[in-house]
Every structure is written in structure tokens, then in C-alpha cells.
């Protein structure tokens, strides 16, 4: 993705992004029950690289399966492109881990932008200590093949009840993760950045005791006042 767009998206919240997308008619963009593994992680921004899980089957899902270098989970970890986010469809099932700290460290070392699952990660204290943007439903110690079969990569998936297509832009902050259709990313980033700047002005006004009517939502008069406020602070 274009680096200026990535940089803009790092400055805006998932809350603002959901509003901007809602204005475009997109309601279901915030991944449900998907949370940061730890507080204080860097913002996550990057195109989605997808991995799909299906229910495990006892004759196929054994620990020896991981010895195959083409195992889809291992393939995803080794082939998720630099700057991308690995997004795992775990069917909202956190009974078995979607991955653990070694695999997530490998993603981090390879320069990936983050990892998201609607299941759970094992070794979660070690994952939290990585400082790598990682989002899951909850910690899950049991190894993945007890409940999951890694089926394929690079296809449309569901994650947290949201449709995620390869290349969609995933943005994560302390609140959660938003999926932005890739063709809208530039326009959404620019509008969200503008909205964020206006909200900074609103915050300053509210702290000073100003009431909300005529300020939030914006009016032509408040926007003109905002422009003067921004120029006065060297942001014009």
C-alpha cells in the first residue's frame, strides 16, 4: 500500500474509521470480540493476507502435520508479505490456539505489520511481551490441531463476523480492528484524518466549557472557526 496512506491511517482511531465507513454505507467493518493481546501496542496498518481454519479431524490433525513445510499455517507465516497483516479465520473458536509466540515472532522478524485472529493465541504472556501488534479473542493454551485444521491461504474469509478479502486494509488500535475495503483506503484515510483534526478542535472547546450544539456535529460556522484555530496553530 502507499506509504502516505499507511502513515495517515496510523494517526486515526478505529472509532473514527467506523464512522467514515458508515457514511459510505458500510456498517459491518469492526471485528467483533477481537482485542489487542496487550495494551500500548503500536498501531497496526497493513493489507490482509488471509488464512482459513476449518474444524479439525482426528485422522488429519496431528502434531506431525507441522513437519510439512507446505502446512497452510506454516506457509502463511513464511509467505505473509512484509508490511501485511496475517488475518486468521478461526471460526470464532478460541478453544485451540491459532498460533503461538514463536510463529508471531517469525512474522515480526520478517517485517509483517501484525496478526489478527477471532480465535486465541497461546503463549499469550510472551506474545504480549513482543510489542508486536496482535489481536485475538482471548488466550488459548491448547495446541491448534485439537480443534482447528488449517485449510488454505489467500482467499476471502470471515474474521470476527466481518468479511475480509485479501488486500483489504486492516487497521488496529487499542480498541480493536477495522477492515477497510482496499479500493476505499485512500479516500477513507484522508477523510478520517480530517475528522480527527476537527475532533481535536472540539476536544479543546469542550475542555474550555463550550456546549456541544453548534459545535459537534459540525456546522459551517464551527468549521470556519476550526480553520482559523488550525491556522493559528500552524496546521493550515
Amino acid at each position: 500500500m502507499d506509504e502516505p496512506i499507511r502513515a495517515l491511517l496510523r494517526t486515526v482511531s478505529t472509532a473514527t474509521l467506523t464512522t467514515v465507513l458508515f457514511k459510505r454505507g458500510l456498517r459491518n467493518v469492526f471485528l467483533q470480540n477481537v482485542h489487542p493481546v496487550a495494551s500500548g501496542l503500536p498501531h497496526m496498518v497493513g493489507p490482509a493476507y488471509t488464512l482459513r481454519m476449518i474444524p479439525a479431524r482426528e485422522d488429519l490433525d496431528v502434531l506431525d502435520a507441522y513437519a510439512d513445510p507446505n502446512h497452510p499455517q506454516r506457509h502463511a507465516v513464511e509467505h505473509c508479505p512484509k508490511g501485511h497483516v496475517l488475518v486468521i479465520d478461526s471460526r470464532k473458536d478460541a478453544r485451540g490456539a491459532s498460533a503461538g509466540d514463536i510463529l508471531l515472532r517469525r512474522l515480526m522478524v520478517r517485517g509483517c505489520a501484525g496478526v489478527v485472529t477471532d480465535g486465541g493465541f497461546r503463549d499469550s504472556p510472551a506474545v504480549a511481551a513482543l510489542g508486536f501488534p496482535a489481536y485475538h479473542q482471548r488466550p488459548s493454551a491448547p495446541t491448534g490441531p485439537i480443534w482447528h485444521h488449517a485449510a488454505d491461504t489467500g482467499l476471502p474469509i470471515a474474521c470476527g463476523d466481518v468479511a475480509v478479502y485479501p488486500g483489504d486494509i486492516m487497521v488496529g488500535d487499542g480498541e480493536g480492528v477495522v477492515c477497510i475495503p482496499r479500493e476505499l483506503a485512500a479516500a477513507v484515510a484522508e477523510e478520517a484524518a480530517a475528522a480527527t483534526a476537527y475532533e481535536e478542535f472540539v476536544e479543546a472547546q469542550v475542555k474550555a466549557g463550550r456546549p456541544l450544539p453548534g459545535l459537534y456535529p459540525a456546522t459551517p460556522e464551527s468549521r470556519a472557526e476550526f480553520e482559523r484555530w488550525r491556522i493559528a496553530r500552524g496546521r493550515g
Side-chain angles (χ1 to χ4, degrees):
M1 63 182 300
D2 292 342
E3 287 307 312
I5 300 305
R6 191 192 297 268
L8 270 183
L9 288 171
R10 286 197 181 107
T11 69
V12 300
S13 70
T14 57
T16 298
L17 288 169
T18 61
T19 301
V20 171
L21 288 163
F22 178 48
K23 289 166 65 177
R24 287 168 166 74
L26 294 165
R27 300 169 183 268
N28 187 34
V29 293
F30 187 75
L31 277 59
Q32 297 300 306
N33 204 21
V34 170
H35 316 286
V37 169
S39 60
L41 295 174
H43 266 52
M44 179 186 75
V45 182
Y49 182 87
T50 58
L51 168 64
R52 184 174 67 99
M53 303 286 196
I54 64 174
R57 203 174 77 181
E58 287 78 4
D59 61 329
L60 298 175
D61 295 293
V62 296
L63 287 176
D64 288 347
Y66 284 142
D68 179 0
N70 293 316
H71 184 280
Q73 184 210 48
R74 297 307 204 254
H75 176 91
V77 170
E78 292 297 330
H79 290 84
C80 181
K82 182 178 180 180
H84 282 56
V85 175
L86 177 58
V87 185
I88 307 171
D89 174 1
S90 296
R91 310 177 344 272
K92 302 185 291 184
D93 187 346
R95 291 177 295 173
S98 302
D101 66 322
I102 292 175
L103 300 190
L104 270 56
R105 185 181 295 276
R106 176 63 178 154
L107 288 168
M108 182 176 71
V109 168
R110 292 189 55 251
C112 297
V115 60
V116 180
T117 181
D118 57 4
F121 292 129
R122 68 192 313 201
D123 315 309
S124 55
V127 170
L130 290 175
F132 180 60
Y135 295 79
H136 68 171
Q137 181 190 141
R138 62 172 173 79
S140 181
T143 188
I146 297 175
W147 295 104
H148 299 300
H149 174 84
D152 45 47
T153 62
L155 296 174
I157 61 170
C159 189
D161 287 326
V162 173
V164 178
Y165 288 79
D168 283 345
I169 306 304
M170 311 303 294
V171 180
D173 62 8
E175 202 154 30
V177 178
V178 166
C179 176
I180 305 173
R182 55 187 166 183
E183 68 274 11
L184 297 179
V188 166
E190 291 169 4
E191 184 175 344
T196 298
Y198 183 78
E199 287 171 1
E200 291 177 4
F201 164 71
V202 170
E203 288 280 356
Q205 299 300 306
V206 169
K207 287 179 182 177
R210 183 169 173 176
L212 294 178
L215 175 66
Y216 190 73
T219 64
E221 293 77 16
S222 69
R223 288 208 174 274
E225 185 180 352
F226 161 65
E227 291 299 331
R228 294 192 295 271
W229 178 88
R230 187 169 65 169
I231 291 169
R233 284 156 181 76
R235 300 181 186 180

